[in-house]
């Protein structure tokens, strides 16, 4: 089979007088379709993370109950720390205001500020993050999710300026998405297309559409994200990726260092203890030779901070690891492992309290 | 600034508003476009503007000196200075870490200790592209093929012209500088072609390349979890991804330049219809392959020194062409592989369309795998069977790459890269609407970088 023809660009011999018609027509069709969608009340399709964020934001501002222990962090905290276990082990009431990895430590500051604005300071704040989040997982998706926080745009911008960050277009499209359903309906359309031909490939490490995480409201009214089934094969596969990603000791993101200082500042100002900890891990990751290199920067920073400030504690320094058959992905524990992880965390906190 | 970002669309809108007022005034137009180009580049990291300016001033000055000097040793010295400075900057920013790492590996291989601090050097965006552009200018002036321009602004704009600054096409001064020193006119043909190229470019990038990338990346991230059938589909997907990504960038660049009244060279001519290795390189990244031919292969002796010398020159050119893509052995191997194909062609091997397509896919496997070892591991898998996952992956390839294949077949059969512009206005409107809808509704979320930015 041979095709020797090498195409060239031949200028239109008679350029169309109405060259603009096709593109204007295309834009007009899409604009009309968008307007129709707005008119019939189709707004954006909320993502799972946004629903969680909105629920947690509301919870942090709910003044009906006060708490002794406030849990912050990413999905390893959201899924892995059970408030009832903390209450049992430490006494007092506990609330889990954890969100997900893309919110990072910056999200912790926002959530804590929200809580403190509506409540008396708690006895302790527990901040739990997965290793890669501590180690400087910086994701521009932060802006997209931050934009979903239900506060005014000027207030959001003020907070972003405080963080010396320039909002990306993800922020803008997320903030004003209700006006452009055609842009955001893609989640729905793409999801439908993908579902019709696809089961998710590979099994994502965290946060993807692939996992079996559900947003549920237990009887106590505290919204909680739950992973209800273990996926050991996916955990093993993503553990390998997790380890191969590490090539040198990672440092903490400068933006996260700012957020850490902000958290410490609040603990000093309002007189509560603050406990930093790593989330649960697969044993395969914990025992890999590269793991310590990955968290060296984190360990150094958190140790420095806890040595400097009496109210700051770095607990579970050796990390708690689990077999893949009780994990949903590299950062999420399921079933009895949630109680086990929380118990270990609570006991480390108690030890820290006792040693003072 | 990424072409597929809101920042760029706003930037382009501002230029569209003010540009018509300065089209006829060359100095004002060029000064404004230069300022816009520096804003475009500095948006990424303003610190590296200094490198761009340095490269501009060095080659402008050296070319001016070359123009005035008749003394041959002095001319050679000036040319050598340009080559040393340009390649020195490129070598430091792009290859220093690679050579330090490779040297340490050699030491370790012979049993010696190799303690060294790994260099952490940021690769300035587009450095490979604009360095080659400035270098070719000085060489052309040295060869007396070109008069050195007296206008620093024109030359600076030639080096930094924003549509093609960060990923080409690598324009020749002989083509672009005369356009920059003349008044432009905004014509219907330019608008018509410009709008089509931009739309087609975004379609290739946002709908085809980004969606394919999301589908095939897991295979390259963890190939052990997939069968050989999946790997083959992954490589096929990558071949369409990189084609959509890079030719999409070139189309957008050429389209934007057209709207401003300038012609940039065609960088891709339906490369997967190539029937031989030399045909492939006359269709793929044409601005680089012709650059390598004119400034490396021919100066090395080209095909003038007998069979052995020709083979050596081909291999050297392609190995260096591979290294141009990135500081990694896999790119050198990819270049070497294509060099070998060209040598085989010289020895009388006929490839044909299918043979060349398969050879190209093998090349892409080397190019995309995380390392050479991984590439070998991927094709030597013992689990080769077709799974339900393979079916789903094939469905995605058809969904995301199918429309581009159809358009390319149409262009190939008509022999016209602007075939869609010959359609009636109603059909054009339909095609534009479908493509815009695919970009908006099915395009991949977020502004992902173009693959060739890393080079």
């Amino acid at each position: 089979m041979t095709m020797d023809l090498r195409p060239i660009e031949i200028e239109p011999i008679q350029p169309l007088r109405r060259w603009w018609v096709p593109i204007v027509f295309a834009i007009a069709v899409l604009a009309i379709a968008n307007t129709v969608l707005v008119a019939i009340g189709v707004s954006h399709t909320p993502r799972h993370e946004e629903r969680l964020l909105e629920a947690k934001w509301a919870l942090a501002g709910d003044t009906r109950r006060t708490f002794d222990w406030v849990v912050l962090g990413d999905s390893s905290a959201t899924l892995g720390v059970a408030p009832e276990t903390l209450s049992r082990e430490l006494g007092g009431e506990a609330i889990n205001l954890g969100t997900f990895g893309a919110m990072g430590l910056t999200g912790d500051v926002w959530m804590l500020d929200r809580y403190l604005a509506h409540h008396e300071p708690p006895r302790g704040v527990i901040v739990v993050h997965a290793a890669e989040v501590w180690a400087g997982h910086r994701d521009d998706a932060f802006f997209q999710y931050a934009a979903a926080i239900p506060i005014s745009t000027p207030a959001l911008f003020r907070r972003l300026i405080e963080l010396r960050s320039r909002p990306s277009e993800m922020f803008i499209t997320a903030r004003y998405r209700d006006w452009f359903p055609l842009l955001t309906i893609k989640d729905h359309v793409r999801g439908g297309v993908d579902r019709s031909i696809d089961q998710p490939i590979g099994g994502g490490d965290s946060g993807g559409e692939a996992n079996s995480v559900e947003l549920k409201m237990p009887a106590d009214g505290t919204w909680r994200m739950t992973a209800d089934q273990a996926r050991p094969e996916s955990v093993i596969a993503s553990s390998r990726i997790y380890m191969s990603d590490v090539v040198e000791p990672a440092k903490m993101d400068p933006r996260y260092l700012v957020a850490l200082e902000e958290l410490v500042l609040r603990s000093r100002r309002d007189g509560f203890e603050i406990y930093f900890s790593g989330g649960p891990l697969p044993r395969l990751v914990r025992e890999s030779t590269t793991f310590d290199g990955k968290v060296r920067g984190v360990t150094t920073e958190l140790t420095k901070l806890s040595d400097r400030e009496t109210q700051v504690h770095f607990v579970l320094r050796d990390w708690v690891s689990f077999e893949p058959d009780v994990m949903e992905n590299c950062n999420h524990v399921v079933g009895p492992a949630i109680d086990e992880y929380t118990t270990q965390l609570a006991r480390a906190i108690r030890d820290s309290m006792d040693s003072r | 600034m990424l072409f597929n970002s809101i920042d760029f669309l706003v930037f382009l809108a501002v230029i569209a508003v003010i540009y018509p007022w300065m089209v006829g005034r060359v100095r004002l137009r060029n000064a404004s476009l230069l300022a816009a180009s520096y804003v475009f580049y500095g948006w990424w990291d303003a610190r590296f503007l200094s490198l761009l300016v340095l490269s501009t001033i060095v080659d402008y000055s050296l070319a001016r000196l070359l123009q005035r000097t008749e003394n041959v040793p002095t001319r050679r010295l000036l040319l050598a200075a340009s080559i040393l400075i340009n390649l020195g900057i490129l070598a430091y920013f792009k290859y220093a870490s690679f050579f330090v790492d490779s040297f340490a590996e050699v030491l370790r291989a012979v049993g010696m200790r190799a303690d060294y601090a790994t260099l952490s050097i940021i690769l300035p965006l587009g450095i490979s592209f604009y360095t080659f552009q400035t270098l070719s200018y000085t060489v052309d002036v040295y060869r007396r093929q070109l008069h050195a321009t007296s206008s620093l602004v024109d030359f600076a704009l030639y080096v930094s012209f924003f549509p093609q600054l960060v990923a080409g096409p690598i324009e020749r001064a002989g083509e672009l500088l005369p356009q920059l020193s003349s008044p432009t006119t905004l014509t219907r043909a330019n608008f018509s072609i410009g709008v089509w190229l931009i739309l087609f470019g975004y379609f290739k990038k946002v709908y085809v390349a980004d969606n394919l990338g999301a589908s095939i990346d897991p295979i390259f991230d963890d190939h052990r979890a997939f069968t050989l059938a999946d790997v083959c589909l992954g490589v096929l997907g990558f071949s369409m991804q990189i084609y959509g990504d890079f030719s999409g960038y070139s189309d957008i660049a050429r389209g934007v330049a057209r709207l401003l009244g300038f012609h940039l060279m065609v960088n891709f001519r339906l490369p997967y219809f190539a029937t031989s290795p030399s045909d492939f390189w006359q269709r793929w990244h044409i601005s680089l392959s012709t650059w390598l031919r004119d400034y490396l292969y021919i100066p090395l002796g080209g095909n003038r020194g007998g069979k052995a010398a020709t083979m050596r020159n081909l291999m050297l050119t392609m190995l260096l062409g591979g290294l141009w893509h990135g500081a990694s052995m896999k790119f050198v191997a990819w270049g070497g592989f294509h060099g070998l194909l060209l040598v085989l062609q010289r020895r009388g091997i006929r490839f044909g369309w299918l043979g060349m397509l398969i050879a190209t896919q093998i090349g892409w496997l080397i190019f995309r795998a995380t390392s050479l070892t991984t590439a070998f591991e991927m094709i030597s898998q013992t689990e080769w069977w077709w799974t339900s996952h393979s079916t789903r992956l094939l469905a995605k390839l058809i969904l995301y790459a199918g429309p581009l294949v159809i358009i390319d077949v149409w262009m190939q059969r008509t022999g016209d890269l602007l075939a869609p512009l010959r359609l009636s206005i109603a059909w054009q409107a339909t095609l534009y609407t479908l493509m815009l809808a695919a970009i908006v509704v099915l395009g991949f979320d977020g502004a992902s970088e173009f693959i060739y930015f890393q080079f």
Side-chain angles (χ1 to χ4, degrees):
Chain A
M1 188 174 182
T2 52
M3 279 179 262
D4 292 329
L5 191 63
R6 194 170 303 133
I8 55 166
E9 273 187 4
I10 306 159
E11 295 279 327
I13 298 162
Q14 286 182 315
L16 288 170
R17 195 185 302 168
R18 288 174 293 162
W19 64 268
W20 48 270
V21 171
I23 190 68
V24 170
F25 177 81
I27 293 169
V29 168
L30 265 65
I32 290 166
N34 191 70
T35 310
V36 169
L37 287 173
V38 172
I40 61 173
V42 176
S43 63
H44 78 279
T45 315
R47 292 159 198 254
H48 181 76
E49 287 86 350
E50 288 165 13
R51 287 195 294 132
L52 175 76
L53 195 55
E54 284 172 9
K56 291 290 176 107
W57 190 257
L59 201 57
D62 185 349
T63 53
R64 285 174 294 180
R65 293 168 68 187
T66 54
F67 298 91
D68 302 282
W69 304 97
V70 173
V71 179
L72 302 170
D74 55 32
S75 61
S76 67
T78 310
L79 291 157
V81 182
E84 57 276 13
T85 310
L86 278 182
S87 299
R88 186 188 71 213
E89 294 288 330
L90 297 172
E93 293 287 306
I95 184 172
N96 188 331
L97 295 180
T99 54
F100 44 88
M103 294 302 290
L105 271 72
T106 316
D108 297 340
V109 182
W110 289 31
M111 201 55 82
L112 182 60
D113 281 352
R114 168 86 168 160
Y115 180 85
L116 292 174
H118 295 87
H119 299 87
E120 287 295 307
R123 274 170 66 195
V125 169
I126 303 161
V127 182
V128 177
H129 282 288
E132 83 266 24
V133 176
W134 277 124
H137 165 100
R138 181 177 174 165
D139 190 344
D140 267 355
F142 169 79
F143 297 110
Q144 177 185 334
Y145 294 120
I149 292 175
I151 60 173
S152 72
T153 301
L156 259 177
F157 269 106
R158 262 202 311 279
R159 299 238 61 179
L160 289 168
I161 289 163
E162 281 167 26
L163 295 164
R164 301 182 205 106
S165 299
R166 191 177 63 193
S168 70
E169 61 261 35
M170 292 178 87
F171 172 85
I172 297 162
T173 50
R175 195 63 176 164
Y176 301 104
R177 72 179 80 204
D178 284 357
W179 299 352
F180 303 103
L182 203 61
L183 276 175
T184 54
I185 206 169
K186 72 170 64 171
D187 293 335
H188 198 68
V189 176
R190 276 174 52 92
V193 169
D194 287 349
R195 266 193 303 279
S196 65
I197 58 175
D198 188 32
Q199 290 293 316
I201 300 170
D205 184 48
S206 62
E209 295 163 353
N211 61 35
S212 56
V213 174
E214 291 285 330
L215 184 63
K216 288 179 179 164
M217 186 167 70
D220 63 359
T222 55
W223 280 101
R224 192 181 305 157
M225 200 159 73
T226 59
D228 54 9
Q229 64 183 58
R231 301 171 74 217
E233 284 164 17
S234 166
V235 172
I236 292 166
S238 45
S239 292
R240 281 205 297 259
I241 297 170
Y242 199 99
M243 288 183 288
S244 63
D245 278 351
V246 187
V247 284
E248 56 188 89
K251 287 180 181 169
M252 281 183 87
D253 188 298
R255 200 177 62 172
Y256 282 8
L257 289 174
V258 171
L260 259 185
E261 289 294 342
E262 292 287 321
L263 287 170
V264 171
L265 192 72
R266 281 151 184 73
S267 72
R268 205 186 300 144
R269 184 191 66 198
D270 293 340
F272 56 81
E273 303 290 313
I274 190 158
Y275 301 89
F276 295 116
S277 170
L281 287 168
R283 205 171 306 284
L284 203 59
V285 170
R286 179 66 193 93
E287 289 170 1
S288 80
T289 49
T290 52
F291 180 75
D292 288 329
K294 176 158 189 166
V295 294
R296 193 168 300 139
V298 176
T299 310
T300 310
E301 289 299 335
L302 293 179
T303 306
K304 243 186 334 192
L305 213 56
S306 62
D307 290 346
R308 195 189 77 195
E309 306 273 341
T310 52
Q311 81 285 8
V312 176
H313 314 276
F314 176 25
V315 297
L316 294 182
R317 293 181 189 212
D318 285 334
W319 300 77
V320 180
S321 59
F322 293 88
E323 294 301 335
D325 55 2
V326 291
M327 301 196 78
E328 189 262 343
N329 70 18
C330 275
N331 304 316
H332 302 166
V333 279
V334 298
I338 297 172
D339 188 60
E340 190 184 331
Y341 173 73
T342 314
T343 305
Q344 292 204 42
L345 177 65
R347 287 179 185 165
I349 291 169
R350 213 167 46 205
D351 290 347
S352 178
M353 288 158 68
D354 293 344
S355 66
R356 254 177 292 144
Chain B
M1 210 179 280
L2 292 171
F3 279 171
N4 52 334
S5 68
I6 287 182
D7 297 350
F8 179 71
L9 295 180
V10 171
F11 171 83
L12 201 58
V14 171
I15 289 177
V17 169
I18 58 174
Y19 192 69
W21 304 101
M22 57 184 69
V23 159
R25 286 174 276 186
V26 175
R27 280 187 178 179
L28 176 65
R29 180 200 68 191
N30 288 359
S32 308
L33 284 177
L34 179 62
S37 298
Y38 283 171
V39 168
F40 176 86
Y41 192 77
W43 206 256
W44 164 67
D45 192 331
R47 290 173 301 169
F48 289 108
L49 261 177
S50 55
L51 269 183
L52 187 64
V53 172
L54 175 74
S55 188
T56 303
I57 291 172
V58 164
D59 282 281
Y60 171 79
S61 312
L62 290 174
R64 296 284 293 163
L65 288 172
L66 272 170
Q67 184 72 41
R68 284 193 221 125
T69 313
E70 293 299 331
N71 183 288
V72 175
T74 311
R75 288 174 60 78
R76 284 189 181 148
L77 198 67
L78 290 169
L79 179 66
S82 168
I83 293 171
L84 272 177
I85 294 170
N86 280 300
L87 293 186
I89 292 172
L90 189 61
Y92 174 74
F93 282 97
K94 194 161 176 173
Y95 302 110
S97 303
F98 172 65
F99 286 122
V100 170
D101 288 349
S102 303
F103 184 61
E105 263 179 40
V106 170
L107 288 182
R108 275 195 291 269
V110 295
M112 293 172 70
R113 275 191 61 185
D115 294 332
Y116 66 98
T118 304
L119 295 173
S120 180
I121 301 167
I122 300 169
L123 179 67
L125 206 57
I127 190 168
S128 311
F129 292 89
Y130 71 71
T131 302
F132 269 35
Q133 211 161 286
T134 52
L135 207 51
S136 69
Y137 168 75
T138 315
V139 174
D140 286 352
V141 172
Y142 172 80
R143 289 173 173 171
R144 302 265 188 226
Q145 291 171 347
L146 193 71
H147 271 280
T149 178
S150 57
S151 166
L152 178 59
V153 172
D154 287 6
F155 181 68
L157 182 56
Y158 158 69
V159 178
S160 64
F161 187 43
F162 74 85
Q164 46 84 244
L165 171 58
V166 289
I170 303 165
E171 282 295 320
R172 300 297 175 82
E175 295 295 324
L176 190 54
L177 264 176
Q179 294 185 57
L180 295 176
S181 53
S182 327
T184 34
T185 46
L186 302 178
T187 65
R188 281 202 295 267
N190 276 347
F191 283 130
S192 178
I193 294 169
V195 167
W196 160 251
L197 287 174
I198 292 171
L199 182 68
F200 193 35
Y202 276 114
F203 175 76
K204 285 182 189 173
K205 166 65 180 164
V206 180
Y207 176 74
V208 180
D210 288 352
N211 278 318
L212 283 175
S215 305
I216 59 146
D217 280 350
I219 295 172
F220 290 95
D221 289 343
D222 184 17
H223 63 275
R224 290 183 199 90
F226 299 91
T227 67
L228 188 58
D230 295 331
V231 168
C232 291
L233 287 170
V235 174
L236 194 62
F238 177 69
S239 71
M240 290 307 291
Q241 182 200 357
I242 193 166
Y243 169 55
D245 192 284
F246 194 18
S247 72
Y249 181 92
S250 292
D251 284 348
I252 299 168
R254 296 179 57 239
V256 171
R258 273 294 182 122
L259 292 185
L260 299 172
F262 301 102
H263 291 234
L264 300 182
M265 69 183 292
V266 175
N267 214 13
F268 290 85
R269 281 203 180 98
L270 315 178
Y272 296 139
F273 289 100
T275 54
S276 67
S278 60
D279 188 21
F280 178 79
W281 286 104
Q282 288 171 54
R283 292 166 176 266
W284 179 272
H285 203 174
I286 300 164
S287 63
L288 176 69
S289 57
T290 50
W291 196 101
L292 290 171
R293 180 196 65 199
D294 295 345
Y295 300 101
L296 188 59
Y297 178 67
I298 292 174
L300 281 170
N303 54 6
R304 298 188 300 273
K307 275 185 184 172
T310 304
M311 311 291 175
R312 180 203 62 201
N313 296 340
L314 278 173
M315 284 306 292
L316 263 177
T317 303
M318 294 313 291
L319 284 169
L320 288 170
L323 189 62
W324 175 90
H325 283 81
S328 163
M329 283 313 292
K330 68 173 185 173
F331 293 125
V332 178
W334 176 74
F337 174 74
H338 273 280
L340 194 64
L341 295 181
L342 288 164
V343 167
L344 289 174
Q345 187 189 352
R346 286 260 165 190
R347 303 292 299 251
I349 304 283
R350 296 175 73 87
F351 284 80
W353 170 73
L354 191 60
M356 191 55 220
L357 190 65
I358 293 169
T360 311
Q361 302 300 314
I362 296 169
W364 289 135
L365 171 67
I366 299 169
F367 192 96
R368 176 60 179 83
T370 46
S371 67
L372 269 180
T373 322
T374 313
F376 281 119
E377 270 179 32
M378 288 176 82
I379 47 170
S380 52
Q381 298 222 71
T382 49
E383 294 176 3
W384 55 269
W385 52 84
W386 189 270
T387 63
S388 57
H389 175 256
S390 316
T391 309
R392 289 193 294 271
L393 195 54
L394 179 64
K396 284 193 170 189
L397 287 186
I398 293 168
L399 176 68
Y400 296 128
L404 179 57
V405 172
I406 292 169
I407 293 172
D408 276 12
V409 168
W410 174 27
M411 288 176 173
Q412 177 68 28
R413 292 186 81 86
T414 54
D416 183 4
L417 294 173
L418 296 175
L421 294 179
R422 323 270 171 220
L423 291 171
S424 70
I425 211 157
W427 280 112
Q428 270 189 56
T430 309
L431 179 65
Y432 280 37
T433 306
L434 288 173
M435 288 175 97
L436 197 59
I439 293 167
V440 172
V441 181
L442 282 172
F444 195 72
D445 248 349
S448 64
E449 275 197 1
F450 288 82
I451 295 174
Y452 262 66
F453 277 18
Q454 61 189 293
F455 308 136

